[in-house]
Amino acid sequence: MRIFLLFKSASHPLRMEIQRHFAMEKTSTILIADDDPGARLILQRLLAREGHRVLMAQNGAEALRQSIEHTPDLVLLDVLMPELDGFEVCRQLRCHPRLREIPILLVTSLGDHQSRVQGLSVGADGFISKPFDMAELLAHVRTITRLNRYRRLLAEQERFQRLIELSPEGIATINAEGRLLLINPALAALLEAPSIEHLLGDTLQTYVHVASLDRYQAGMQALAQGVQQVSRIEVLLVGVNGRSLPAEISLGRFHDQDGAFAQIIIRDISERKRAEAQIHRQVSRLTSLHAIGVAITASLELSATLDILLDRLIEELHVDAASVLLLNPRTMNLEVTCSRGMPSTLVGVSLCSEEGLAGMALRTQQTVSLANVQAEMLISERDQALAALFAAYFAVPLRARGEIKGVIEIMLRESFTPDDHWWTFLEALAMQAAIAIETSVLFEQLRRTHAELKQSYDATIEGWSRALDLRDRETEGHSERVTELTLRLARWMGLPDEQMEHIRRGALLHDIGKMGVPDAILLKPGPLSVDEWAIMRQHPVYAFRWLSAIPFLQPALDIPYAHHERWDGSGYPRGLRGEQIPIAARIFTVVDVWDALRSDRPYRAAWTEEQTVAYLRSLAGTHFDPQVVRAFLEMFGYDKEG
């Protein structure tokens, strides 16, 4: 494309800008070389009035030196000068690589034809005769300086045109109708046009994807209405061959005598969009890994964690199906524990660890990768069933602490070759799955161990309780009865469930302190002396000393330590009063008395229900908490007098 095509409008903004630049540059540097001081002075005054910068030399050698140093815009050379005449200076300037284009006018008083021919042969651009014709002189100077300016203008235009032609971004001018007028090669390549001429006259809107039309039209309208002088929009372009690409369009508005126009710069932002999409994927995948990590720490339910893991896997890797197969350490079979997108016939199945592709991943502890599954190459019936539905298959072993825990399978309906980012995320998911499995196994082992230990504790406590009953000659099953009845009343009164285990243990061990009371006192058939009662009343203190040394029994101390305290403060060992007495002990006291009175003893027969109810009512507010007594009687249906 030639420069006159690029700037075919005289008022094109680019051309006008360059012309303004050179219009400001009125001053030219002119070198006057003459051995006549009077001639030099006349020329210097005349040219200075025109606004030019004037240099002067009095001989040819000085003219050469000043030309090399200052690169003047015009040289006025006297023909007859000492040392080097004007012809020789002109010849040497034309041989100099940097100065050969400088305009040279020979100033001469010689009027013969031969001198003029000689001057032209050494490269002079013209002649000025002595004595000077001022009008002729100024006409020559003005013509040459004007030509110099236009020569520089053309050079700048050519350089700018070259810059536009070499630009990797699409550049064009469009008119008010949006039609393409001036186009650089990069824009033609961007739109996959066979040539620049193929696009000339088309509207740019023709190449804007329908999804971006509203955005493009809004940007053009804002320019047309003067709302914006420069607009930048992102659109989806569609090339001549139908390929779409994301682009950023910068629009600038201008006017000339031919109407309104806009300059556009179009940048292909495919790489930027791909980078943004990659960053978005990475953030999304990191978020997914974080969510799975939170699920592992927040929930010890393996199935719930694996559900989250597979959901994230399907979403982030854009696969069609996935499953987790766990290794059963007892049978050494792989069992499908969790799946997505799998046929129902293959969900919940168990397969031998030697079987198929999943078994291969388990045995070799290496990833199995089939980007294009060939059904005839598969031996396992399960693998053949999968191959009938899916074209790509991947199996990753799940390892934790050096032990294989199972396999995670991924399937796609079309052939697929993963990239490094895909593999990295899958391997991270497999690691998370292995951690979840290991955590679940460890928790289950811990839960089982805890249950066994708790069972052992409870068996020991129950054994102590039976031994105490036998030693204290209580009726058979007394401790079990008061324990169950105490728990029943506690629930009736609305005590929290988390307290029930401690209440049960405290009730079973309510008389554990009697282990410290000598048999002579504990089993004495007759009344106890004052000193003996003092020892007997120490058994709650003994219970506190023994049980407080056992951490898991410390919460159960309320009943053994306080079940002989009384509501009015007359009890022992601490003389607690009212609600100072723990609620569990207040409940147990009522139940203990009820069971004792309703049981046969060697020294008396069991009381009737009516007698026992009357006794409890009579001591409510003194020995017993009246609210506990009321709740106890309501629970048995004795909530009314008589």
Side-chain angles (χ1 to χ4, degrees):
M1 184 189 296
R2 300 303 299 166
I3 195 70
F4 64 83
L5 289 177
L6 182 62
F7 300 122
K8 65 181 183 180
S9 170
S11 57
H12 189 282
L14 184 57
R15 177 172 181 171
M16 291 169 65
E17 180 63 27
I18 295 175
Q19 288 175 335
R20 280 196 300 271
H21 172 72
F22 285 105
M24 295 172 62
E25 212 177 89
K26 294 180 180 179
T27 301
S28 297
T29 300
I30 300 176
L31 173 63
I32 301 171
D34 200 314
D35 61 342
D36 181 355
R40 290 200 307 272
L41 182 60
I42 292 171
L43 292 175
Q44 190 270 338
R45 288 176 177 175
L46 178 64
L47 295 175
R49 283 199 301 269
E50 288 287 307
H52 299 295
R53 176 187 176 215
V54 179
L55 304 175
M56 290 190 288
Q58 58 186 358
N59 56 57
E62 187 178 357
L64 278 176
R65 180 179 59 77
Q66 292 223 44
S67 296
I68 293 171
E69 289 180 0
H70 300 287
T71 314
D73 297 304
L74 172 63
V75 177
L76 299 178
L77 276 175
D78 186 20
V79 171
L80 300 176
M81 287 187 295
E83 299 183 21
L84 294 176
D85 62 20
F87 297 129
E88 180 60 21
V89 172
C90 184
R91 187 188 67 77
Q92 290 194 30
L93 288 175
R94 291 294 180 242
C95 292
H96 194 285
R98 183 165 55 82
L99 306 176
R100 63 181 58 174
E101 299 296 332
I102 293 177
I104 300 173
L105 292 177
L106 292 177
V107 180
T108 180
S109 58
L110 301 175
D112 61 290
H113 178 71
Q114 183 178 357
S115 297
R116 291 182 178 271
V117 170
Q118 184 180 357
L120 293 173
S121 67
V122 295
D125 293 294
F127 296 87
I128 297 175
S129 300
K130 288 183 178 181
F132 298 119
D133 181 335
M134 298 305 175
E136 178 189 12
L137 174 62
L138 288 178
H140 274 289
V141 171
R142 288 169 182 168
T143 299
I144 289 176
T145 54
R146 187 177 297 114
L147 286 174
N148 277 346
R149 292 191 186 104
Y150 277 111
R151 187 182 297 116
R152 288 197 295 271
L153 173 63
L154 289 174
E156 287 294 331
Q157 288 178 330
E158 288 176 357
R159 283 195 292 271
F160 204 83
Q161 176 190 351
R162 188 62 177 161
L163 179 65
I164 292 174
E165 289 177 347
L166 293 177
S167 171
E169 297 175 342
I171 301 175
T173 297
I174 58 177
N175 63 12
E177 289 77 37
R179 297 192 178 277
L180 294 162
L181 302 180
L182 301 172
I183 303 165
N184 75 336
L187 181 56
L190 201 65
L191 296 176
E192 299 179 325
S195 65
I196 290 175
E197 289 73 18
H198 183 89
L199 301 176
L200 289 173
D202 281 352
T203 60
L204 182 59
Q205 182 171 311
T206 304
Y207 301 98
V208 177
H209 193 280
V210 63
S212 301
L213 275 178
D214 289 346
R215 194 178 309 117
Y216 172 75
Q217 290 170 351
M220 291 296 294
Q221 186 175 7
L223 281 179
Q225 294 175 350
V227 176
Q228 292 176 297
Q229 291 300 312
V230 178
S231 179
R232 182 172 296 170
I233 55 176
E234 288 189 7
V235 299
L236 193 63
L237 295 179
V238 180
V240 173
N241 295 330
R243 186 179 69 90
S244 60
L245 75 153
E248 180 185 79
I249 301 180
S250 297
L251 299 146
R253 180 170 171 265
F254 66 91
H255 289 272
D256 66 11
Q257 70 269 21
D258 296 325
F261 294 87
Q263 287 177 310
I264 62 171
I265 299 175
I266 302 179
R267 301 176 182 86
D268 182 354
I269 57 174
S270 300
E271 286 299 325
R272 191 180 83 192
K273 288 296 184 182
R274 278 193 288 270
E276 290 174 354
Q278 182 63 31
I279 292 172
H280 176 75
R281 282 195 298 273
Q282 292 297 333
V283 171
S284 178
R285 289 174 178 178
L286 285 173
T287 302
S288 294
L289 292 176
H290 175 70
I292 295 169
V294 169
I296 292 173
T297 55
S299 173
L300 294 170
E301 284 292 331
L302 180 59
S303 59
T305 302
L306 293 181
D307 281 340
I308 294 174
L309 184 142
L310 287 189
D311 288 341
R312 295 286 183 167
L313 186 150
I314 294 286
E315 179 181 352
E316 298 294 344
L317 296 184
H318 306 292
V319 300
D320 299 304
S323 64
V324 176
L325 296 86
L326 297 186
L327 179 64
N328 187 323
R330 293 189 298 275
T331 64
M332 295 307 293
N333 286 343
L334 282 171
E335 299 173 353
V336 180
T337 305
C338 186
S339 66
R340 293 287 184 279
M342 295 279 287
S344 58
T345 54
L346 298 180
V347 175
V349 301
S350 176
L351 57 146
C352 176
S353 59
E354 301 292 322
E355 181 182 346
L357 298 173
M360 181 187 300
L362 183 77
R363 293 191 310 274
T364 62
Q365 298 193 27
Q366 298 293 324
T367 297
V368 174
S369 174
L370 296 178
N372 191 2
V373 175
Q374 302 294 325
E376 59 273 11
M377 298 172 58
L378 304 176
I379 300 175
S380 162
E381 291 184 4
R382 179 177 181 273
D383 291 346
Q384 289 179 348
L386 291 174
L389 299 172
F390 304 105
Y393 174 93
F394 306 91
V396 181
L398 304 177
R399 290 186 296 269
R401 296 188 180 183
E403 294 183 1
I404 192 77
K405 301 295 181 181
V407 174
I408 187 168
E409 293 180 311
I410 294 175
M411 287 134 297
L412 297 93
R413 291 192 174 88
E414 296 181 359
S415 298
F416 176 69
T417 302
D419 58 19
D420 291 341
H421 296 291
W422 193 92
W423 276 119
T424 299
F425 183 67
L426 177 57
E427 289 167 358
L429 279 181
M431 185 180 299
Q432 293 279 54
I435 291 171
I437 295 166
E438 177 69 8
T439 302
S440 176
V441 169
L442 290 175
F443 175 73
E444 180 59 28
Q445 291 175 349
L446 182 62
R447 189 196 62 77
R448 192 182 305 114
T449 300
H450 178 74
E452 292 172 354
L453 186 60
K454 179 178 176 294
Q455 187 176 5
S456 298
Y457 286 159
D458 290 343
T460 300
I461 291 170
E462 290 172 5
W464 288 351
S465 175
R466 284 192 293 272
L468 285 169
D469 284 353
L470 291 174
R471 181 170 182 265
D472 199 19
R473 295 179 180 176
E474 293 278 7
T475 58
E476 184 177 357
H478 167 71
S479 293
E480 288 81 357
R481 289 196 304 274
V482 295
T483 297
E484 294 304 318
L485 194 53
T486 299
L487 290 171
R488 182 179 169 188
L489 181 55
R491 292 190 183 96
W492 178 273
M493 295 183 67
L495 270 66
D497 288 343
E498 57 266 22
Q499 292 187 20
M500 296 304 158
E501 186 63 28
H502 305 309
I503 291 174
R504 189 182 71 83
R505 290 173 177 169
L508 285 171
L509 297 175
H510 67 280
D511 274 342
I512 188 67
K514 288 182 178 180
M515 295 288 288
V517 178
D519 287 348
I521 297 174
L522 184 66
L523 304 178
K524 184 177 180 180
L528 299 180
S529 66
V530 174
D531 292 339
E532 289 172 338
W533 266 117
I535 294 173
M536 177 63 79
R537 288 177 177 174
Q538 286 298 304
H539 77 270
V541 177
Y542 299 154
F544 175 80
R545 290 174 181 172
W546 296 340
L547 298 183
S548 61
I550 304 173
F552 88 98
L553 289 177
Q554 288 175 2
L557 274 171
D558 286 349
I559 293 175
Y561 194 23
H563 71 287
H564 284 296
E565 302 288 354
R566 293 180 178 178
W567 184 255
D568 61 4
S570 62
Y572 64 89
R574 290 174 289 169
L576 300 180
R577 178 188 299 271
E579 293 186 358
Q580 292 178 338
I581 307 168
I583 183 62
R586 284 181 268 152
I587 290 172
F588 178 82
T589 300
V590 173
V591 171
D592 189 39
V593 170
W594 170 272
D595 186 81
L597 294 177
R598 294 285 295 135
S599 301
D600 289 324
R601 289 289 190 268
Y603 49 86
R604 63 163 174 79
W607 286 20
T608 64
E609 287 187 8
E610 291 76 7
Q611 291 174 315
T612 309
V613 168
Y615 182 77
L616 293 180
R617 282 178 175 156
S618 68
L619 296 181
T622 54
H623 285 198
F624 309 124
D625 180 346
Q627 291 185 355
V628 175
V629 173
R630 186 179 306 111
F632 181 83
L633 297 179
E634 286 175 354
M635 187 175 70
F636 278 101
Y638 295 109
D639 51 325
K640 296 181 180 179
E641 290 288 340

